[in-house]
Amino acid sequence: MSEASSRRTLPTLPGAGRGPVLEEWGLLGDQPVREPVGGKGDASDFLPHVVAWNLTRRCNLACAHCYIAAGSWHAEAEELSTERCHEILDQVLEVNPRPMLILTGGEPLLRDDLEELARHASQAGATVVVGTNGTRLTDQRIESLMEAGVSGVAVSVDSLDPTYHDRFRHGAGALQDTLDAVERLRTHELDFVIQTSLTRGNRDELASLVEWSAEKGAVSFNLYFLVPTGRGEGMKGLSPDENEEVLAQLTALEARYRGRMMIRSKCQPQLMRHVLEADDASPLANYRTRCPCGVHYCRITPEGKVTPCPYLPVEAGDLAEQTFGEIWREAAVFHALRHGEPGGKCGMCEYLEVCGGCRARAHATTGDLLGPDESCAYEPSGRRPLVEPPAPVTYGQEAEPSLPWTDEARARLDRIPSFVRGVVTSRVEDFARREGHDRVDLEVMGAVRRNMPVDFSRRLPFFLRRGADDA
């Protein structure tokens, strides 16, 4: 058998470096492989803290930028069965018993088994949120989602102008249906996030969208920057200079609404450079925002394929052939993302460790998932020292308790999603010391919650609300 043909028999490569599989797939350019921060190189050092699951390609809308090209023409037969979804959920929970699970689509509310799957995951210990266009969120559906253990909902609002929003989403009356859903979410007191996809058409509306989101009580506002994949492949995002202007504005808005609503960029980790230059006391400093795809985050497609993120369609594996754990531990593309050094100016940048560029955009625009993110206007000198996250504990890190915790307090901590547990441990213990406590008990945890500002990064650890109010 030739070397080339033998390569094709290896869909994954345990412990891979720059091996032939990676090169044949075109996943790596000429970039070196590095050890991850902290010198850890074993697969056990990485956990899927957040798993996004596109349960369906069916959708009642056909949004212009949709990365999964969802629409009403897709068939239910293309999706995994309920039974198979339960099996995969158990595989995910075996790898990480406390992930955040994002159930989305397409439009996930079109799946009649959505609540059944959410209940399975939430009762097993996952934090479950649903990503939806919001048009089908009736009172009855909100109640059934809450009963199933769903902790929050992310809804898409791209403009407060119905002409723009409905045209962008390809659905007459879509905006009004979504605005009505936001009011219902408020009435039912189910936490919600507003998601906005940035284009030149709504760029000037950013401040008003953020203000509206805060007034409605959103826990977070997420601004998505275009990644040209799926139906968005033919769309053109903002120029690098325009992105810089928007990120500067977003940084100012984050400071203005701090303590009231979390504000973040998505698929544009360059926000961290702006935040750290402006105010490293921002709660965003707790994020090691270098792209988490394949490191702490992955996506499952409706057919059961695993990819690093929804915007990065390179397959890590097929759940029809391998378990989730085998794919997470062994996939060559995950190894490349965990150990590969980004190229071009991303690799030379002093903000590499807190940004590193969007890997999905690099792949979409250069064909190399470790290539440069060309949406960035910043020009590094290549001679400055690396900027590290200023927070001693960042999301995704574990933190060893330095104070005694009662069994009850420890049990509550163990219910917190894995990617925030280290940050929560640090914050609770800092509060306990300031208040003169020599241990952490339920009373201390309750006091921490009561004294926290309502910003998403601080509120999320108590998203579950399982007994939190009785502390």
Side-chain angles (χ1 to χ4, degrees), residues 300-347:
I300 302 172
T301 73
E303 302 80 20
K305 307 295 177 61
V306 179
T307 77
C309 87
Y311 301 94
L312 185 50
V314 177
E315 290 181 12
D318 187 341
L319 289 165
E321 301 173 357
Q322 298 169 279
T323 67
F324 179 84
E326 288 170 340
I327 295 170
W328 179 259
R329 291 187 294 269
E330 300 172 4
V333 63
F334 288 163
H335 187 94
L337 289 165
R338 293 167 191 172
H339 302 279
E341 187 72 55
K345 66 180 184 180
C346 285

Side-chain angles (χ1 to χ4, degrees), residues 37-49:
V37 176
K40 297 179 180 179
D42 189 84
S44 62
D45 297 319
F46 304 97
L47 273 181
H49 293 298

Side-chain angles (χ1 to χ4, degrees), residues 40 392-394 396-405 410 413-414 418 420-430 433 440:
K40 297 179 180 179
V393 180
T394 58
Q397 287 183 305
E398 286 292 338
E400 286 297 322
S402 57
L403 289 176
W405 288 60
R410 186 74 210 189
L413 180 68
D414 288 342
S418 61
V420 295
R421 196 176 303 137
V423 171
V424 173
T425 301
S426 176
R427 285 179 175 166
V428 169
E429 292 191 343
D430 286 347
R433 291 189 190 90
V440 175

Side-chain angles (χ1 to χ4, degrees), residues 206-216 218-221 249-264 283 453-456:
L206 176 57
S208 58
L209 278 165
V210 169
E211 181 180 13
W212 173 84
S213 301
E215 289 176 350
K216 293 300 180 183
V219 296
S220 183
F221 177 88
Q249 182 183 8
L250 204 61
T251 301
L253 289 168
E254 187 277 322
R256 184 185 308 168
Y257 290 93
R258 191 177 303 166
R260 183 178 175 190
M261 182 179 72
M262 184 74 168
I263 296 176
R264 290 197 66 194
V454 186
D455 98 9
F456 186 63

Side-chain angles (χ1 to χ4, degrees), residues 37 78 113 151 232-233 259 284 316 320 353:
V37 176
E78 301 171 6
D113 59 359
S151 299
E233 187 173 358
L284 291 179
E353 295 303 336

Side-chain angles (χ1 to χ4, degrees), residues 155-196:
V155 295
S156 300
V157 178
D158 296 304
S159 173
L160 297 175
D161 175 2
T163 301
Y164 178 91
H165 179 95
D166 293 358
R167 184 176 65 245
F168 188 72
R169 295 275 163 181
H170 290 185
L175 177 61
Q176 190 58 56
D177 289 342
T178 302
L179 298 184
D180 291 343
V182 168
E183 294 300 332
R184 295 187 191 105
L185 291 166
R186 293 183 69 190
T187 299
H188 289 279
E189 297 184 343
L190 179 58
D191 286 339
F192 63 93
V193 172
I194 298 298
Q195 319 248 61
T196 295

Side-chain angles (χ1 to χ4, degrees), residues 280-291:
D280 63 9
S282 166
L284 291 179
N286 280 109
Y287 286 87
R288 182 179 288 274
T289 312
R290 185 169 179 176
C291 185

